[in-house]
């Protein structure tokens, strides 16, 4: 079957403020937030998008929901090519896709009551008023919020967990088919987080949603997504079933990432690769591999040429010139149940 999300060569460069020298030299520096993404997502699949701060996760999500226009490349969601979508077709698209924000206050206006916040997407999408109450009741049941009296409250009169459920409800009220959840639980404390994550897992299963779950937290991605894509400075460096990526990371960056992340009750890879010191800088990505400056096993080819994302037998993908030599799979480690 055709992929539900189909992305080819998707790139986004943002202009950065120029210094006096650059203005005089006529230079137009850019930050390559996302470079040449290629991936497919099947209908009903949840994919985790993992990577450190600034690697382009949110930009990728925004590109897929047409909240920002790409510099180059194409994206198709369902049957819709995003380039050129406008007017009624764009409005229909906006009903089918939703973004779940990290901070409830980005999604909910603090000055309007919860009930009104939930009705707003219905009003904007032209859903007849007579249907609003039923739709809102159904979505509150779905996110397991009891008590319609909550609808009268303002956001500051709710707990963090309740608010995040309302944010989910708002995203689901139009019954979307594709959601991008951007660090949706990072603002919550640990006990509430587990409840929301369980809820998200259940909703994905019961509603058959196709979803991208963005996080820098491997343990969370592992909990909600069977497949994980790893990004480094705008590029996809690895893609595969989450458990395989954790137990047999192939890319040197993924290996370092997994070794560095404290995974509760998970045996980690036994031979972590030490990263070379340095901070990733999206303004300084050259012609070669994005990871070359911090890679402990880089060779001359890594500076000269970007490694393509290669599909290995079994379907995993990795972008590394050293495959299979330096990053060859090692024996799997035993994993305990997630979280
Ligand atoms: N509107 C913008 N204008 C200029 N630069 C931007 C813009 N949005 C993002 N960037 C830059 O693009 C790069 C990727 O940003 P992005 O927000 O996608 O990263 P991220 O992986 O979501 O990070 P985080 O984990 O911190 O949320 C960063 O270097 C960021 O500074
Ligand atoms: Mg982000």
């Amino acid at each position: 079957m055709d992929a539900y999300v189909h992305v080819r060569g998707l790139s986004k460069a943002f202009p950065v403020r120029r210094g006096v020298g650059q203005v005089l030299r006529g230079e137009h520096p850019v930050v390559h937030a996302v470079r040449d993404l290629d991936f497919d997502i099947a209908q009903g699949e949840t994919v985790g998008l993992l990577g450190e701060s600034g690697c382009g996760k949110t930009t990728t999500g925004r590109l897929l929901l047409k909240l920002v226009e790409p510099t180059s490349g194409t994206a198709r969601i369902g049957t819709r090519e995003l380039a050129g979508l406008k007017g009624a077709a764009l409005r229909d698209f906006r009903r089918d896709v939703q973004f779940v924000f990290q901070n409830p206050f980005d999604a909910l206006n603090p000055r309007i009551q919860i009930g009104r916040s939930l009705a707003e997407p219905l009003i904007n999408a032209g859903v007849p008023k007579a249907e609003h109450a039923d739709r809102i009741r159904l979505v509150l049941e779905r996110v397991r919020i009891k008590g319609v009296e909550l609808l009268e409250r303002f956001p500051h009169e709710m707990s963090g967990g309740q608010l995040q459920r309302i944010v989910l409800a708002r995203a689901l009220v139009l019954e979307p088919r594709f959601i991008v959840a951007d660090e949706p639980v990072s603002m919550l404390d640990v006990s509430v987080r587990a409840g929301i994550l369980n809820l998200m897992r259940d909703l994905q299963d019961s509603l058959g949603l196709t979803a991208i779950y963005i996080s820098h937290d491997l343990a969370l991605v592992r909990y909600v997504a069977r497949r994980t894509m790893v990004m480094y400075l705008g590029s996809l460096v690895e893609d595969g079933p989450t458990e395989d990526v954790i137990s047999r990371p192939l890319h040197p960056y993924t290996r370092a990432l997994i070794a560095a992340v404290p995974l509760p009750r998970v045996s980690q890879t036994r031979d972590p690769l030490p990263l070379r010191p340095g901070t990733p800088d999206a303004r300084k990505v050259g012609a070669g591999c994005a990871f070359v400056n911090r890679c402990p096993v880089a060779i001359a080819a890594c500076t000269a040429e970007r490694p393509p994302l290669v599909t290995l037998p079994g379907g995993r993908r990795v972008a590394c010139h050293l495959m299979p030599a330096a990053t060859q799979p090692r024996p799997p480690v035993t994993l305990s149940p997630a979280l």
Side-chain angles (χ1 to χ4, degrees):
M1 203 178 70
D2 261 5
Y4 185 71
V5 177
H6 180 88
V7 169
R8 290 295 176 271
L10 198 63
S11 302
K12 177 70 186 175
F14 291 106
V16 289
R17 204 170 290 129
R18 296 182 291 170
V20 177
Q22 288 167 321
V23 172
L24 292 176
R25 290 193 297 275
E27 290 171 7
H28 300 277
V30 294
V31 38
H32 293 281
V34 161
R35 296 214 310 177
D36 256 335
L37 299 186
D38 279 341
F39 61 85
D40 289 344
I41 301 177
Q43 184 145 15
E45 190 178 20
T46 298
V47 177
L49 190 56
L50 185 71
E52 63 201 337
S53 185
C55 73
K57 305 181 296 293
T58 299
T59 304
T60 304
R62 288 167 61 79
L63 285 166
L64 293 179
L65 299 192
K66 204 170 165 69
L67 298 171
V68 59
E69 290 301 316
T71 315
S72 57
T74 60
R76 173 165 57 70
I77 311 286
T79 53
R80 299 184 181 101
E81 286 294 342
L82 299 201
L85 260 192
K86 51 179 185 263
L90 182 58
R91 274 198 301 281
D92 286 349
F93 172 73
R94 297 244 174 268
R95 284 180 71 143
D96 277 357
V97 302
Q98 287 294 326
F99 204 88
V100 181
F101 292 93
Q102 162 179 13
N103 181 349
F105 285 97
D106 286 342
L108 300 174
N109 184 334
R111 285 189 213 90
I112 63 174
Q113 290 156 310
I114 298 298
R116 170 84 195 170
S117 276
L118 290 175
E120 214 170 50
L122 299 170
I123 295 167
N124 293 342
V127 174
K129 190 145 197 295
E131 291 179 26
H132 290 192
D134 279 349
R135 292 253 205 159
I136 290 174
R137 200 172 310 122
L138 176 68
V139 83
L140 288 179
E141 263 169 42
R142 281 195 173 136
V143 301
R144 297 183 205 135
I145 288 230
K146 294 206 184 71
V148 279
E149 72 278 2
L150 288 180
L151 297 177
E152 309 276 304
R153 294 202 197 160
F154 289 91
H156 71 269
E157 296 169 326
M158 313 270 284
S159 74
Q162 281 174 327
L163 268 189
Q164 198 53 304
R165 281 169 203 264
I166 294 292
V167 168
L168 264 181
R170 193 174 194 271
L172 296 175
V173 73
L174 285 171
E175 308 197 336
R177 305 181 61 202
F178 176 53
I179 62 169
V180 174
D182 194 356
E183 311 258 14
V185 295
S186 64
M187 306 283 280
L188 304 174
D189 65 54
V190 174
S191 58
V192 182
R193 205 180 262 195
I196 297 282
L197 287 173
N198 280 332
L199 175 64
M200 292 193 71
R201 271 214 319 204
D202 293 351
L203 288 171
Q204 281 153 23
D205 289 345
S206 59
L207 304 178
L209 279 171
T210 308
I212 291 194
Y213 187 95
I214 292 175
S215 183
H216 58 264
D217 187 337
L218 180 60
L220 298 189
V221 165
R222 183 182 181 209
Y223 197 64
V224 292
R226 268 180 226 115
R227 173 177 158 206
T228 294
M229 299 195 293
V230 183
M231 281 184 89
Y232 186 82
L233 274 189
S235 299
L236 273 189
V237 296
E238 181 151 4
D239 175 11
T242 306
E243 294 303 312
D244 292 356
V245 170
I246 291 174
S247 60
R248 295 180 190 211
L250 299 176
H251 195 278
Y253 173 65
T254 323
R255 283 170 71 177
L257 186 74
I258 285 167
V261 173
L263 278 176
R265 287 175 274 134
V266 172
S267 339
Q268 301 187 349
T269 59
R270 277 172 234 120
D271 58 341
L273 285 173
L275 284 190
R276 279 163 50 198
T279 1
D281 185 345
R283 289 165 306 176
K284 293 189 185 140
V285 179
C289 173
F291 188 54
V292 66
N293 291 333
R294 286 166 83 197
C295 184
V297 291
I299 53 173
C302 305
T303 319
E305 200 185 324
R306 273 187 91 198
L309 194 62
V310 175
T311 306
L312 306 176
R316 286 185 64 180
R317 300 192 301 163
V318 60
C320 178
H321 284 308
L322 289 160
M323 273 304 296
T327 58
Q328 65 190 308
R330 281 146 302 113
V333 294
T334 325
L335 299 178
S336 58
L339 287 184

